[in-house]
């Protein structure tokens, strides 16, 4: 299927690892001009080189999207480089969870800044440029805990739930401008954080995945490229009548749609 995003400009935050990297690679492979943003310069350079080696167009910008000034610089450098922004993938984030009584105000604020305020600021900055061309796609990467929070799952489930509310509200406000806003709610996806957890437990990551997939109907962990395929679809003309939606990418685990 031709997704018809050749020449579109796509910004992917958290674009050097896991889902973000997979999204950047997929969008570049489909012909988009991709901007990847992350805090670490070495990984940015590495991923940019990887994308260019396959013929993709990419610009790497070092930025901490939890900071307002970096969000402003990220959008301004994207516009200065490509003259427009068509696709925004708000992916940056970590899975911060713990017992409610142990989470400090600083912990709450850091999670809101990284996940919610980054998406708010980048969307607010990108939307005027999308409106100029009467075309835009915003995809917010959240997780299934936003819909079905478990015990000891905060602050992540709270900030992600706010992201879902923002997705729906933006989709309704900017539909007249042909700016489509959707969310993908991920479940268990292969990631470095699971490898680090397995190492801390002194077990192979496969053993950890076996344990974590016990309640997943498909019986396996998801891959980052499987998320990227859905993100690319939502960013494309193929999804031209999809807005305000939240797609679960969880192997059937979530009990809610």
């Amino acid at each position: 299927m031709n997704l018809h995003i050749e020449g579109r400009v796509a910004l992917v935050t958290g674009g050097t690892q896991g889902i973000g990297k997979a999204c950047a690679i997929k969008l570049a492979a489909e012909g988009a001009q991709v901007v990847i943003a992350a805090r670490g310069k070495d990984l940015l350079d590495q991923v940019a080189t990887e994308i260019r080696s396959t013929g993709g167009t990419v610009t790497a910008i070092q930025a901490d999207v939890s900071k307002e000034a970096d969000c402003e610089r990220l959008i301004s450098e994207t516009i200065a480089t490509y003259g427009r922004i068509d696709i925004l993938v708000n992916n940056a984030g970590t899975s911060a969870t713990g017992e409610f009584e142990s989470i400090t105000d600083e912990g709450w604020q850091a999670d809101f800044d990284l996940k919610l305020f980054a998406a708010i600021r980048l969307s607010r900055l990108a939307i005027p440029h999308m409106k100029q061309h009467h075309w835009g796609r915003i995809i917010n990467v959240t997780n299934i805990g936003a819909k079905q929070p478990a015990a000891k799952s905060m602050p992540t489930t709270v900030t992600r739930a706010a992201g879902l509310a923002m997705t729906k509200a933006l989709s309704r406000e900017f539909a007249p401008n042909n700016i489509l806003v959707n969310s993908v709610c991920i479940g268990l996806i292969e990631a470095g954080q699971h490898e680090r957890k397995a190492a801390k437990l002194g077990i192979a990551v496969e053993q950890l995945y076996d344990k974590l997939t016990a309640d997943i109907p498909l019986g396996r962990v998801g891959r980052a490229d499987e998320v990227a395929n859905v993100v690319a679809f939502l960013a494309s003309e193929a999804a031209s009548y999809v807005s305000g939606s939240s797609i679960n990418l969880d192997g059937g685990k979530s009990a809610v749609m």
Side-chain angles (χ1 to χ4, degrees), residues 188-214 216 219-222:
L188 179 64
I189 306 295
E190 291 176 353
Q193 64 180 334
H194 302 309
E195 295 173 4
R196 292 188 290 273
K197 182 177 181 179
K200 187 179 293 186
L201 295 172
I203 61 175
V205 69
E206 290 77 16
Q207 289 178 271
L208 178 63
Y209 285 146
D210 285 343
K211 179 180 179 180
L212 295 175
T213 56
I216 297 176
R220 65 173 178 87
V221 63

Side-chain angles (χ1 to χ4, degrees), residues 9-237:
V9 177
L11 168 59
V12 181
T13 66
T16 58
Q17 300 183 66
I19 291 170
K21 177 182 177 181
C23 289
I25 290 172
K26 176 64 176 178
L27 291 168
E30 293 291 338
Q33 301 173 101
V34 177
V35 176
I36 53 174
R39 288 177 289 190
K41 185 179 186 305
D42 290 344
L43 272 178
L44 276 168
D45 292 342
Q46 180 180 318
V47 174
T49 298
E50 184 178 339
I51 291 173
R52 292 185 188 117
S53 71
T54 60
T57 300
V58 62
T59 297
I61 300 176
Q62 188 174 11
D64 180 350
V65 295
S66 68
K67 298 178 179 178
E68 182 178 4
D70 278 23
C71 289
E72 293 174 351
R73 179 173 56 82
L74 182 53
I75 296 296
S76 65
E77 289 189 19
T78 298
I79 299 303
T81 301
Y82 296 110
R84 61 190 294 154
I85 180 169
D86 303 295
I87 300 161
L88 172 61
V89 182
N90 287 311
N91 168 70
T94 59
S95 182
T97 59
E99 296 183 358
F100 174 70
E101 292 174 296
S102 71
I103 306 169
T104 64
D105 283 0
E106 292 76 15
W108 277 103
Q109 190 62 57
D111 210 60
F112 272 96
D113 285 342
L114 178 60
K115 296 171 185 171
L116 183 62
F117 275 99
I120 289 171
R121 289 164 176 155
L122 290 170
S123 298
R124 187 170 58 207
L125 291 163
I127 283 171
H129 298 283
M130 294 176 175
K131 288 169 73 174
Q132 288 179 14
H133 300 282
H134 197 68
W135 200 99
R137 302 286 189 270
I138 298 174
I139 300 106
N140 297 315
V141 179
T142 62
N143 67 33
I144 58 174
K147 300 177 181 180
Q148 194 175 3
K152 303 177 183 179
S153 66
M154 294 178 279
T156 284
T157 51
V158 174
T159 52
R160 293 309 197 191
L164 286 183
M166 183 183 76
T167 297
K168 177 59 78 173
L170 288 180
S171 73
R172 297 176 70 87
E173 184 168 349
F174 294 102
N177 305 105
N178 194 35
I179 298 172
L180 312 185
V181 189
N182 293 288
S183 173
V184 292
C185 287
I186 62 169
L188 179 64
I189 306 295
E190 291 176 353
Q193 64 180 334
H194 302 309
E195 295 173 4
R196 292 188 290 273
K197 182 177 181 179
K200 187 179 293 186
L201 295 172
I203 61 175
V205 69
E206 290 77 16
Q207 289 178 271
L208 178 63
Y209 285 146
D210 285 343
K211 179 180 179 180
L212 295 175
T213 56
D215 60 347
I216 297 176
L218 284 182
R220 65 173 178 87
V221 63
R223 303 188 311 274
D225 66 283
E226 291 178 306
V227 181
N229 288 338
V230 176
V231 169
F233 165 72
L234 291 173
S236 76
E237 280 298 326

